[in-house]
Amino acid sequence: MIATLHHDDGSVAVEGLLSSDAPGPLLSEEEFRADSGVRPGVPLAGSGSLTSRLWTKPALAVIGMDVPSVALSSDTLLPVARAKFSLSLAPATDTAAAMEAVRRHVESHTPFGADVTFTPAGRTEGFAGDATSRAARTMLGAMEDTWGVPAVCMGVGGSIPAVDILTKLYPRAEVLITGAEDPDSRAHGANESIHLGDFENAIVAEALLIARLNSPD
């Protein structure tokens, strides 16, 4: 059943999930492999541009399983096994509809003779920032002045639940999340770190942003 969640090329096989080939900054396979640490010869999952695979298409991973360990295994039938999945969604996806799509897929691919219980867990709504807003344009200019090169808009995962709540409560507010990170930061990894030069530039850029937003000009 778990194997049916993906096509042979590694793309998500669950029908009903939002997916697009929205344009974005060009990213070569060589750049992606260098940034992500993918070993040579390991095929990349999915189809379409790398930009769309990273930012505008769903990604599903089984992140945990309850099955006997090799040390405790025996030649006996087991009454129960469990698996937990994590699903990343494209912007503007209805998370409730996405959860229902996975439920339909799982229940329609139940192995012969098995009973399946699908238990939804937490959901976080996505957020797509407006790069044309005054705050965003001001920040892009501050970053260009600080780093000395034009700023590039890109998509990134990891929605913050409070952002969706704030945008719904205050629809006229401009939400801008700032931070310092690069591929070598290995965010959420055991060896997560930050480049001190990037950190300093991020602080300067944010100071410029605040000064310019408060400028009468």
Side-chain angles (χ1 to χ4, degrees):
M1 184 177 66
I2 291 175
T4 69
L5 295 170
H6 297 87
H7 295 296
D8 290 342
D9 65 359
S11 58
V12 179
V14 178
E15 294 184 3
L17 298 179
L18 185 65
S19 177
S20 69
D21 286 302
L26 295 178
L27 180 66
S28 70
E29 183 171 326
E30 290 73 21
E31 289 174 316
F32 176 77
R33 286 182 179 274
D35 288 345
S36 61
V38 177
R39 292 185 294 107
V42 175
L44 303 182
S47 59
S49 70
L50 286 174
T51 301
S52 64
R53 281 187 253 179
L54 290 170
W55 304 333
T56 62
K57 293 188 176 183
L60 189 153
V62 174
I63 59 175
M65 297 182 68
D66 286 337
V67 295
S69 66
V70 173
L72 300 178
S73 62
S74 62
D75 192 15
T76 56
L77 295 176
L78 300 173
V80 177
R82 296 195 305 169
K84 182 178 182 179
F85 71 89
S86 174
L87 176 63
S88 298
L89 300 169
T93 299
D94 184 323
T95 58
M99 187 74 79
E100 187 59 29
V102 179
R103 179 199 296 274
R104 289 195 304 268
H105 181 96
V106 169
E107 293 180 347
S108 65
H109 289 82
T110 299
F112 173 78
D115 292 325
V116 173
T117 299
F118 184 89
T119 306
R123 304 196 314 267
T124 299
E125 300 296 330
F127 168 74
D130 180 8
T132 65
S133 70
R134 180 186 176 225
R137 286 185 285 105
T138 303
M139 186 58 173
L140 290 172
M143 293 172 70
E144 180 173 349
D145 292 342
T146 303
W147 266 272
V149 294
V152 177
C153 294
M154 56 175 276
V156 64
S159 295
I160 300 174
V163 174
D164 180 68
I165 296 173
L166 288 173
T167 55
K168 289 178 179 177
L169 290 175
Y170 307 101
R172 296 177 59 189
E174 295 182 20
V175 178
L176 186 65
I177 303 171
T178 63
E181 186 178 322
D182 60 75
D184 286 333
S185 294
R186 304 291 183 242
H188 303 297
N191 58 342
E192 182 176 3
S193 63
I194 188 171
H195 187 280
L196 293 181
D198 283 345
F199 188 32
E200 180 181 1
N201 285 345
I203 294 172
V204 173
E206 188 160 340
L208 286 175
L209 167 70
I210 295 172
R212 291 173 181 178
L213 288 178
N214 285 280
S215 172
D217 298 331

